Amino acid sequence: MNERILRILIESFWQILLPGLTMTIPLTILSFTFGLILALLAALVQVAEIRVLKPIARFYIWVIRGTPLLVQLFVIFYGLPSLGILLDAFPSAVIVFSVNTGAYAAETIRAAIESVPRGQLEAGYCAGLTYAQTMRRIILPQAMRTAFAPLSNSLISLVKDTSLAANITILEMFMASQRIAARTYEPFALYCEVGLIYLLFCTVLTALQRRLETKMPQY
Amino acid sequence: MLKIMDVHKSFGPTEVLKGVSINVEKGDVITILGPSGSGKTTLLRCINFLEQADRGMMEFDGERLPLNAVKKKDKIRLRKKTAFVFQNYNLFRNKTALENVTEGLIIGRKMSKAEAISIGTQALDKVGLQARYNAYPHELSGGQQQRVGIARAIATQPEVILFDEPTSALDPEWIGEVLSVMRTLAQEGMTMLIVTHEMTFARQVASRVLLMDEGVIVEENTPELFFGAPQKERTRQFLKTLQNR
């Protein structure tokens, strides 16, 4: 490798990592948190068979899982203004990523709840607990243990998916690398470098997942 | 105390209960025998509203209600007068033995934590698990799990405990310890309704023995007469098949 490319890589590392820390990570954390809340609600109204809300949850999951994430970003950021709804890029991204993650995680959580044996609910009833009490204290803790690994998957996907936000003017890691690539005419080096930084992020998350999993109780 | 009248229940085209009536008085130990598929378990589950009967009445402490139209609030209230011991224990898997017992007291009955723990430890002591308060279900043997199940049932001081084949899922080596706990409860005057295949237990402990077959009660008798001089041909036949095992 020649010296010029090496210098570019070293100089750009911080220029790419910085938007990673100030944009990619906050965007991921916010979206994942809201996404989980949405997912839990969408899963619960389905398992509890709540009349009007269940079909709404099904519809939400159907639409979001059936359309590309990039299209969803464009609809919210470039499409809504023509209806008079103007959102800044960051809130647009948080909305789209939350709603998107929520749809996938909802299915994960629903399946995890359904994997808890029915006897747990019956035992709750027989102990004098209500449906909601049994769900909160007995079934959800068991379900979340099961859901942990697939939800970690969703989180790792989300980290990488935030790179799509570059398309709606958000200066995150990928856009930072694009700019440097355009300036230095070294696309190969720069895109490999940004890829490695994503890999680094995901490696940390994978290690974290491992550690938490061994600490969790096994039922 | 507890009367069940003319219970009917179908699953799809299969009629599992065809008009069963049963009368439980305080202190009764009633064992329900019968071949598989005779509706014994379904009967217990209808009493506890785990299944909704298609027809039938319940009278519990003078309160009458139709079994096919019980309100959610009444279900929760009436379930607190009973307790249920499951065939496969159904202990809360994310709770310790002690938490399994106190959960229904603290959450279901709004008891203070200290009081619940005092009752919970007493209940576990009674079933011989004083050393395993903090064990999780998966750390316990089948017999121990079922004894936690019984501790969970007695802790709430129910008016009647419903036992659904409490020893059927156990390895033979654990059956004795569970039956011995149940025997003690019976001697102390606990009202119990027990679906079981344990003939010796029924003969020695029950105050009344019922035979169910094809969704009806065939014979109801004292244990002496039921096993010694059964009235019905079906009962004789049933006892004979068991003897030949």
Side-chain angles (χ1 to χ4, degrees):
Chain A
M1 203 186 302
N2 71 42
E3 219 172 281
R4 182 180 156 277
I5 294 186
L6 196 63
R7 211 185 57 239
I8 290 174
L9 284 177
I10 292 168
E11 274 173 11
S12 59
F13 184 76
W14 178 246
Q15 293 166 4
I16 298 173
L17 189 63
L18 188 67
L21 300 178
T22 59
M23 184 54 78
T24 302
I25 290 180
L27 187 56
T28 304
I29 292 176
L30 278 177
S31 304
F32 197 66
T33 309
F34 293 137
L36 274 189
I37 295 169
L38 264 178
L40 192 60
L41 291 175
L44 283 175
V45 300
Q46 288 183 74
V47 203
E49 306 267 348
I50 297 177
R51 233 173 296 152
V52 188
L53 295 178
K54 185 182 174 181
I56 293 178
R58 289 311 314 166
F59 179 78
Y60 154 58
I61 293 164
W62 173 63
V63 170
I64 297 302
R65 290 204 305 177
T67 54
L69 180 50
L70 188 56
V71 172
Q72 293 164 12
L73 280 168
F74 273 52
V75 166
I76 298 299
F77 185 69
Y78 297 115
L80 283 188
S82 65
L83 303 180
I85 304 170
L86 260 147
L87 291 171
D88 282 342
F90 187 73
S92 298
V94 171
I95 290 171
V96 170
F97 289 128
S98 304
V99 167
N100 191 276
T101 306
Y104 286 94
E107 287 295 88
T108 302
I109 295 176
R110 181 182 62 79
I113 292 174
E114 283 169 359
S115 78
V116 175
R118 169 141 189 100
Q120 297 287 307
L121 176 63
E122 293 185 345
Y125 282 154
C126 291
L129 270 58
T130 61
Y131 178 84
Q133 287 169 335
T134 312
M135 188 51 80
R136 189 163 50 83
R137 301 190 50 93
I138 309 296
I139 297 175
L140 274 181
Q142 294 180 36
M144 290 324 266
R145 175 70 190 83
T146 309
F148 185 77
L151 287 180
S152 303
N153 256 349
S154 299
L155 176 60
I156 287 171
S157 291
L158 179 59
V159 171
K160 296 172 293 169
D161 286 346
T162 55
S163 60
L164 290 173
N167 293 290
I168 60 165
T169 74
I170 287 185
L171 180 56
E172 42 66 70
M173 294 207 290
F174 182 60
M175 189 191 265
S177 69
Q178 272 181 311
R179 287 183 175 177
I180 302 167
R183 200 178 63 223
T184 59
Y185 297 107
E186 291 294 348
F188 182 71
L190 263 301
Y191 292 141
C192 284
E193 182 173 31
V194 73
L196 280 173
I197 297 176
Y198 278 110
L199 185 61
L200 183 77
F201 280 23
C202 293
T203 307
V204 171
L205 286 176
T206 307
L208 203 65
Q209 178 191 351
R210 283 270 160 69
R211 272 191 59 162
L212 287 173
E213 264 179 23
T214 53
K215 276 192 184 162
M216 276 188 174
Q218 304 287 334
Y219 301 129
Chain B
M1 180 184 77
L2 172 64
K3 262 188 199 162
I4 303 295
M5 287 155 284
D6 196 31
V7 183
H8 289 252
K9 172 71 185 172
S10 299
F11 293 109
T14 322
E15 199 176 7
V16 181
L17 296 177
K18 303 171 184 167
V20 175
S21 300
I22 191 166
N23 187 5
V24 187
E25 293 299 337
K26 195 166 160 36
D28 275 348
V29 177
I30 300 174
T31 57
I32 305 173
L33 308 178
S36 304
S38 57
K40 313 181 291 288
T41 292
T42 308
L43 175 64
L44 280 200
R45 291 170 61 85
C46 285
I47 296 176
N48 214 7
F49 317 117
L50 290 179
E51 302 289 351
Q52 181 169 312
D54 301 330
R55 230 168 88 190
M57 293 291 293
M58 168 186 265
E59 196 181 309
F60 204 162
D61 293 333
E63 180 184 358
R64 275 177 76 95
L65 54 161
L67 279 170
N68 59 350
V70 186
K71 291 192 200 84
K72 227 187 228 173
K73 244 169 64 186
D74 289 330
K75 283 184 188 174
I76 292 167
R77 183 172 55 83
L78 290 168
R79 274 191 192 124
K80 288 181 185 169
K81 295 191 189 191
T82 68
F84 202 95
V85 175
F86 294 89
Q87 180 175 356
N88 54 359
Y89 339 125
N90 282 341
L91 296 186
F92 303 132
R93 298 187 301 180
N94 57 328
K95 303 273 176 197
T96 63
L98 183 57
E99 288 167 345
N100 261 278
V101 180
T102 56
E103 189 72 15
L105 302 173
I106 298 171
I107 306 303
R109 290 167 182 78
K110 311 281 173 235
M111 194 181 277
S112 78
K113 216 173 161 188
E115 198 183 345
I117 288 174
S118 146
I119 292 175
T121 50
Q122 275 173 39
L124 286 171
D125 293 350
K126 185 157 191 187
V127 298
L129 287 171
Q130 45 284 341
R132 306 308 308 265
Y133 294 158
N134 297 317
Y136 282 90
H138 71 95
E139 298 168 328
L140 298 170
S141 74
Q144 289 173 329
Q145 289 194 49
Q146 192 58 296
R147 285 188 281 149
V148 175
I150 295 175
R152 177 167 72 177
I154 57 179
T156 59
Q157 296 189 305
E159 294 181 30
V160 53
I161 304 181
L162 312 170
F163 291 85
D164 180 19
E165 302 200 30
T167 57
S168 296
L170 291 175
D171 288 339
E173 53 184 316
W174 310 124
I175 291 178
E177 63 186 46
V178 170
L179 289 181
S180 116
V181 168
M182 291 170 62
R183 203 178 295 253
T184 310
L185 290 182
Q187 280 157 3
E188 289 173 3
M190 176 61 79
T191 312
M192 296 155 79
L193 193 53
I194 309 166
V195 169
T196 185
H197 295 294
E198 300 292 337
M199 295 298 150
T200 316
F201 177 83
R203 188 196 286 252
Q204 293 173 351
V205 180
S207 55
R208 268 186 293 152
V209 182
L210 270 62
L211 178 71
M212 268 188 82
D213 191 25
E214 292 181 358
V216 293
I217 291 176
V218 177
E219 176 160 356
E220 175 170 355
N221 223 327
T222 62
E224 294 78 23
L225 288 173
F226 185 93
F227 291 102
Q231 305 294 298
K232 298 275 164 45
E233 177 55 32
R234 182 71 187 91
T235 311
R236 281 191 283 273
Q237 204 187 349
F238 176 73
L239 292 172
K240 209 168 152 205
T241 51
L242 288 178
Q243 274 160 10
N244 292 341
R245 268 208 308 213

